[in-house]
Amino acid sequence: MDYKKILTIQDISCLGQCSLTVAHPILSACGHETVILPSAVLSTHTGGFKGFTFRDLTDDIPLIQKHWQSEGIKFDAIYTGYLGSLKQIDYVADIYATMGKENAPVICDPAMADNGVLYSIFDTTYAKAMAKLCAKADIVLPNITEACFMTDYEYKESYDEAYVKGLCKAMEDIGIKTIVLTGVSYTPDTIGIVIYDKGEYSYYCHEKLGKGCHGTGDIYASVFTGAYMRGHSLFDSAKIAGDFVLECIKLTSKDPDHWYGAKFEPLLGDLIKTL
């Protein structure tokens, strides 16, 4: 296996099992050198905690990039998650254009919305800017809500395969190349992932649990990236990530006090075996 150097750009929530505290250990477990560029530092994530601290690192991003460029550093892949502002999106777009090795894939998780609504700090202007950033990426991993906000496609709680294919085509029409659409549920007891690449559509589903966990989107995107950079296909990477998240939720559900994240760490050994 080639030893890959992957750059991931996200915030650090010191406690909460999301963003970089998920991406770093998962990518490392997948066998990759993991380079981080933190966009912000929070004491905890924002889902359910009160009085958390927040330090914006936007102005550090171009300084870090400039130093890397002076050292001639390039990456085998670039993977981005939660970005906190329009300015950060602009900086990341430049990193996409300049910091990857030849043919290095750019993977973007447009973490900004769920369940039909944008996260509280974002608006439609941000969603449109994220859509432009996604058009610069090679693989984009939105959920249905994020895809709808990027394309002005009508959001629906209930839908069929024709609706999802239409949503994928709408993303393709705004320049998004390869789509891994998460959280796609056609029946009450299943949920899965749609892979849409160059007009080809495939779907993988597994059982749907009654309750999810904070941070599972970050776990999914990190496992997908780690598997894909190990040489697995788009479909297999999507499947491996989906199965891993399912097992994380099952494990976490046994501990009602662990409400703030998903217990992924005990399962990293199983992930390594799967890869």
Side-chain angles (χ1 to χ4, degrees):
M1 181 192 77
D2 291 337
Y3 186 54
K4 303 293 187 182
K5 188 195 302 288
I6 300 176
L7 170 63
T8 182
I9 309 172
Q10 313 185 42
D11 69 278
I12 298 175
S13 292
C14 298
L15 184 144
Q17 293 169 306
C18 66
S19 302
L20 284 179
T21 59
V22 163
H24 197 308
I26 287 176
L27 291 174
S28 297
C30 291
H32 307 301
E33 178 183 357
T34 307
V35 180
I36 65 169
L37 203 172
S39 58
V41 179
L42 296 84
S43 54
T44 66
H45 63 61
T46 61
F49 292 103
K50 297 178 180 179
F52 52 84
T53 66
F54 176 87
R55 184 170 296 277
D56 184 4
L57 299 180
T58 299
D59 292 340
D60 292 276
I61 294 174
L63 301 178
I64 293 169
Q65 179 188 3
K66 184 178 180 181
H67 179 227
W68 286 342
Q69 289 174 322
S70 73
E71 296 288 341
I73 295 168
K74 296 271 189 174
F75 300 99
D76 295 298
I78 300 170
Y79 151 46
T80 60
Y82 182 94
L83 302 174
S85 67
L86 296 173
K87 195 172 184 181
Q88 287 189 2
I89 288 176
D90 288 340
Y91 285 152
V92 167
D94 188 63
I95 290 172
Y96 281 4
T98 62
M99 298 304 297
K101 295 179 182 178
E102 185 176 2
N103 298 320
V106 173
I107 300 169
C108 180
D109 174 10
M112 62 178 175
D114 205 359
N115 298 316
V117 296
L118 289 164
Y119 297 160
S120 59
I121 69 165
F122 297 141
D123 57 18
T124 54
T125 300
Y126 180 92
K128 295 307 178 189
M130 180 57 72
K132 292 180 180 178
L133 182 68
C134 286
K136 300 177 188 297
D138 297 294
I139 303 171
V140 180
L141 287 72
N143 59 38
I144 287 178
T145 301
E146 290 158 348
C148 287
F149 273 108
M150 288 193 291
T151 59
D152 292 325
Y153 206 76
E154 180 186 3
Y155 175 78
K156 292 183 178 181
E157 293 283 349
S158 299
Y159 47 81
D160 57 13
E161 188 173 299
Y163 169 87
V164 171
K165 287 184 176 180
L167 179 57
C168 290
K169 184 63 169 61
M171 284 188 280
E172 185 179 55
D173 288 344
I174 62 170
I176 297 176
K177 304 174 185 68
T178 300
I179 300 152
V180 179
L181 185 65
T182 62
V184 180
S185 178
Y186 294 132
T187 65
D189 57 347
T190 62
I191 192 166
I193 308 106
V194 164
I195 300 92
Y196 187 86
D197 182 36
K198 301 179 181 67
E200 295 295 320
Y201 172 98
S202 55
Y203 180 59
Y204 173 73
C205 70
H206 51 67
E207 66 177 297
K208 184 177 183 179
L209 302 177
K211 187 178 180 181
C213 300
H214 289 290
T216 50
D218 299 333
I219 294 172
Y220 182 89
S222 300
V223 174
F224 173 89
T225 301
Y228 186 73
M229 294 306 296
R230 283 285 295 263
H232 290 274
S233 67
L234 281 169
F235 183 89
D236 286 346
S237 299
K239 178 183 183 298
I240 290 167
D243 289 344
F244 185 76
V245 168
L246 177 65
E247 294 307 312
C248 290
I249 297 172
K250 285 181 177 179
L251 178 62
T252 308
S253 67
K254 298 175 183 178
D255 181 0
D257 292 330
H258 199 91
W259 58 267
Y260 52 84
K263 291 184 174 183
F264 71 93
E265 299 92 344
L267 299 173
L268 288 176
D270 294 336
L271 175 62
I272 293 167
K273 292 176 183 177
T274 299
L275 294 173

